[in-house]
Amino acid sequence: MVPSSRARVAVRDDPGRTRSAAAVSAVLVVGAGLALRALAAGEVAKYGGDALYTLLLFALVFAAAPRTAPAKAAALALAVSWGVEFLQLSDVPAHLARESTAARLVLGSTFNAPDLFWYAVGAATGWLAVRRA
């Protein structure tokens, strides 16, 4: 049974419930990313990870600001993902990646243009999932 639009609005208007759902979603996305790395290789793991990276950012937007409109959350997650990717055109992420595993995981180290498309896939997936909820 598909929830009525009134029920969907009620869920989105409850910041505590939205924040909790976003936190659970973030944990699930991290788990999916770890599973993807363990089970897949090559382009599937890389580009799937890119989409999941942006999907994680999307969930974190709702954890921090639960009343954010889905389109705005998707745009913000995509902008941050693209910003990090374009930052890789400088030496900053590569330098930080050599110094810290966490920085390497968050910032990457090398610009790769196809990543931009896969970040958009992650943002669109988040937006569609929230719109259908």
Side-chain angles (χ1 to χ4, degrees):
M1 182 170 139
V2 176
S4 70
S5 61
R6 181 177 288 184
R8 280 184 265 160
V9 170
V11 169
R12 288 189 190 145
D13 286 343
D14 182 354
R17 192 168 173 187
T18 301
R19 185 171 277 126
S20 295
V24 168
S25 296
V27 169
L28 291 174
V29 169
V30 169
L34 293 172
L36 183 64
R37 281 288 210 192
L39 300 173
E43 290 185 354
V44 171
K46 182 187 180 349
Y47 295 126
D50 289 343
L52 288 171
Y53 179 87
T54 303
L55 194 56
L56 174 62
L57 292 174
F58 180 81
L60 292 175
V61 168
F62 280 113
R67 293 186 191 266
T68 304
K72 188 174 183 179
L76 182 58
L78 183 59
V80 169
S81 298
W82 282 358
V84 168
E85 191 68 28
F86 283 112
L87 183 63
Q88 292 170 359
L89 291 170
S90 74
D91 292 335
V92 173
H95 173 73
L96 293 173
R98 286 189 296 272
E99 304 296 323
S100 165
T101 301
R104 182 178 51 80
L105 292 172
V106 172
L107 299 176
S109 60
T110 339
F111 179 81
N112 185 30
D115 290 352
L116 300 171
F117 169 77
W118 291 102
Y119 295 141
V121 169
T125 300
W127 177 74
L128 287 170
V130 170
R131 292 215 4 111
R132 292 181 185 259

